[in-house]
Amino acid sequence: MDSTIRNKAIRVMKANDRGGFTVPTANLYPYQWNWDSAFAAFGFATFDRDRAWRELEVLFEGQWANGMLPSIIFRQNDPDYFPGPTVWQTGTEPPTTGHSQPPVAASVAWRLVETGGEADLARAQSLFSGLYAYHRWFHDVRDPDGTGLAAITHPWESGRDNCPDWDGGLNGVRVPDDLEPYERRDLTHVDSSQRPTKAQYDRYLSIVKFGRDCGWNHEVIYHDGPFLVGDPGVQFILIRASKDLRALANRLGRATEENALSAWIERAEDGSQYLWNESVGGFCARDLRTGHFSDAVTSASMLAFYADVGTSAQFDRLVANGKRILDRVEFGFPSWDPDHDRFEPQRYWRGPVWSVMNYMIAEGLAEQGETEMAARLRSDTQRLTDETGFFEYFNPLTGEGYGGGTFTWTAAIRLLLSTDVSTSRAA
Ligand code: DGY
C-alpha cells in the first residue's frame, strides 16, 4: 500500500479516537456507534492490536442487561447531535439508544483470534460472554417465534437509514399529534440533498417515541411497535457473525454455546428464504406484518455470499444482477439498484456506495469463487478513497464524496484492503 495513503488513513482514525472509543466522524456523529466501532477495531487491527481490542471492550461497556448492544453510546451530551440521550431516555448508564445495529463485532473478534496469538485469545475469552449474550438477544428477542428471521424495529437498526427498503414500512408509521417539535442537527453539517427527508425524520422519531413511551420494552416493541421488517443486511451480517462466534466458541472449548449457535444458524439459514424475492432475483427487505416486499437489489442483498446463504440458483441470479448493476456504474456497489426509479446517486442509502458494504460483499464473493467481481469492488473502493478522500459515502456514477469527509470506517476499510491483519500480530 502506498505509505502516504496508509499514513493518511491512520491519521483519520487517530483524529477520531476519543481515548478507547472512536467517533465515526467529528461533529456529525460525535458518539460511539456500534457497527462503526466494530469496523474501527478492524482498522486498528492493521497497526495496533491492543487498541483494536480496546475499541470492542469499550463498546461492550454499553451493553444492556438483556444482552442488547445499542446502536449508539452517549458518553456526554453533545448539542451537535440530534436525537441525543434526552430524547431516547433509556435510563441506562452509560446512556444509549434503545435499539441495536448490524452485529459485526463477533466477526472482528474472530478475525483477530484467527490471525493472532495467546494475547488475542485471552482478550476474546473475556469478551465472549458479552458477544454471546448479544447474539442470543438477536435470536430470542428479535425472533420470539423462532422463524429464523431477526426483525428490525427501526430503519436506523439496519444502518442503512433511508434506503427505499424501508419506504413501505415507514408508510405505515403514523406520526402522533403529540410528537415533540424538533430541530435536526445533521443538516447543519451536511447538505440536505445528501440526507434523509423531513417526512422520514418525522417517522424515525415517531418510532423512537413509541419505544420511549413503552419504557423500551422490546417485547412490546416487537409485537405492537410501528415498524417490523426483515432486513437482508442485518440477517446476513448476523448469520456470518454467528458462524464466526461459533468458531470462537469452538476455539475456547465452549461446547454448549457452540451447539446453541449451530441451532440458531440452521434456523436462520432457513428463515432467510422468506426474504427471497423471485421477481427481483435477490434477497429483499420484507415487512413482517404485511408481507410486503421491497423490490430492488441492494448492497445488502449482495451479502448473501458473505453469509453463505442461498441455493446455487439464487446465487446465479444474484451474480447476474450484480454484473448488470456494476455495468451501470463507475463505482460499485450502489446501495440501491440504478435501474430502479427510486435511485438517487447522492442521497445517503438510496444510491451511494459505502466502503464497509463493499468490503463485506467482496469478502463473500471471493469466498464463493466470484473473484472477478470481488476484485472489481475492492479496486473501486480503493480508487474512491485514493482519488476522492475518506468520505462517508460516494456517488456511484461520478465518485463524488459526501457526508463526513474524514470518516473512521472508510479509513479502516482502506487499511484493511491493503494490509493483512496478521501483520500487527505480536512477534
Ligand atoms: C443518524 O443520526 O443519521 C444515524 O445514522 C442514526 O443512527
Side-chain angles (χ1 to χ4, degrees):
M1 177 178 193
D2 177 341
S3 67
T4 326
I5 291 286
R6 180 179 155 81
N7 290 340
K8 275 190 193 159
I10 291 176
R11 260 206 308 280
V12 167
M13 294 198 60
K14 288 190 169 165
N16 290 335
D17 187 349
R18 296 292 176 270
F21 77 94
T22 312
V23 297
T25 193
N27 307 320
L28 181 61
Y29 303 124
Y31 300 109
Q32 184 175 25
W33 260 259
N34 177 335
W35 73 324
D36 290 80
S37 245
F39 281 109
F42 221 163
F44 279 125
T46 64
F47 64 96
D48 184 347
R49 244 156 213 271
D50 175 61
R51 184 63 188 77
W53 281 112
R54 188 89 194 105
E55 185 81 26
L56 293 178
E57 288 156 3
V58 171
L59 178 63
F60 273 82
E61 288 173 5
Q63 184 165 36
W64 283 21
N66 69 1
M68 185 184 80
L69 192 61
S71 60
I72 310 175
I73 304 175
F74 302 115
R75 290 180 191 279
Q76 74 291 329
N77 195 3
D78 194 319
D80 248 351
Y81 184 79
F82 175 87
T86 53
V87 176
W88 290 88
Q89 297 175 22
T90 55
T92 52
E93 192 43 51
T96 69
T97 57
H99 62 209
S100 196
Q101 249 187 349
V104 193
S107 295
V108 179
W110 172 238
R111 186 91 187 100
L112 279 163
V113 168
E114 239 188 332
T115 56
E118 284 306 312
D120 297 286
L121 200 58
R123 303 284 280 265
Q125 171 118 36
S126 318
L127 208 57
F128 182 81
S129 51
L131 287 165
Y132 184 75
Y134 182 29
H135 280 242
R136 197 179 48 212
W137 176 82
F138 260 114
H139 290 288
D140 293 354
V141 176
R142 287 312 175 78
D143 181 20
D145 302 324
T147 63
L149 206 52
I152 59 165
T153 61
H154 193 301
W156 284 341
E157 286 199 300
S158 72
R160 300 182 296 122
D161 300 10
N162 69 337
C163 184
D165 270 354
W166 324 124
D167 290 1
L170 282 180
N171 273 341
V173 175
R174 202 184 64 79
V175 180
D177 297 334
D178 59 345
L179 183 70
E180 299 79 6
Y182 64 93
E183 193 193 330
R184 283 174 66 173
R185 300 292 304 163
D186 57 325
L187 300 184
T188 64
H189 307 296
V190 178
D191 191 87
S192 61
S193 65
Q194 300 163 21
R195 292 286 303 174
T197 62
K198 154 122 177 69
Q200 282 155 355
Y201 252 80
D202 282 352
R203 285 168 177 78
Y204 297 156
L205 291 167
S206 303
I207 309 173
V208 170
K209 177 171 161 47
F210 182 94
R212 189 180 64 216
D213 290 351
C214 75
W216 297 106
N217 178 331
H218 277 276
E219 215 171 301
V220 173
I221 292 172
Y222 184 93
H223 290 290
D224 305 323
F227 186 91
L228 196 76
V229 176
D231 165 21
V234 163
Q235 178 77 4
F236 291 146
I237 289 169
L238 176 64
I239 291 176
R240 172 57 180 256
S242 296
K243 290 178 178 176
D244 290 335
L245 189 59
R246 177 175 60 183
L248 180 59
N250 177 279
R251 176 69 72 86
L252 294 170
R254 310 283 289 249
T256 312
E257 290 89 343
E258 188 185 346
N259 291 337
L261 283 158
S262 284
W264 288 337
I265 291 163
E266 201 178 314
R267 202 165 68 198
E269 286 180 338
D270 290 346
S272 302
Q273 287 300 330
Y274 188 69
L275 302 182
W276 178 258
N277 186 339
E278 184 64 23
S279 65
V280 167
F283 293 96
C284 294
R286 191 164 185 185
D287 193 301
L288 296 182
R289 299 237 168 78
T290 64
H292 173 83
F293 255 131
S294 177
D295 62 354
V297 169
T298 63
S299 46
S301 312
M302 298 300 286
L303 292 176
F305 303 105
Y306 178 73
D308 192 14
V309 167
T311 64
S312 57
Q314 288 172 336
F315 275 9
D316 288 348
R317 289 200 69 191
L318 265 179
V319 167
N321 266 319
K323 287 188 177 144
R324 171 185 56 79
I325 288 171
L326 287 175
D327 280 347
R328 289 271 288 109
V329 295
E330 180 65 24
F331 300 94
F333 201 92
S335 43
W336 184 253
D337 190 335
D339 284 328
H340 192 286
D341 59 10
R342 292 195 187 185
F343 175 69
E344 292 180 75
Q346 83 298 344
R347 199 183 286 281
Y348 211 38
W349 288 92
R350 297 177 85 86
V353 175
W354 294 73
S355 294
V356 288
M357 297 301 279
N358 278 9
Y359 180 80
M360 292 185 288
I361 298 168
E363 286 285 295
L365 285 167
E367 286 162 5
Q368 304 293 336
E370 292 294 335
T371 45
E372 209 174 302
M373 211 189 296
R376 155 94 196 254
L377 283 186
R378 287 173 175 150
S379 126
D380 285 4
T381 315
Q382 295 196 5
R383 264 198 314 138
L384 279 170
T385 5
D386 297 0
E387 291 169 17
T388 316
F390 297 96
F391 280 91
E392 186 179 358
Y393 45 102
F394 303 88
N395 186 316
L397 307 177
T398 65
E400 198 180 342
Y402 302 126
T406 49
F407 220 77
T408 297
W409 74 13
T410 309
I413 297 300
R414 184 65 188 87
L415 287 166
L416 279 167
L417 284 176
S418 6
T419 319
D420 192 322
V421 172
S422 57
T423 56
S424 64
R425 172 188 184 166

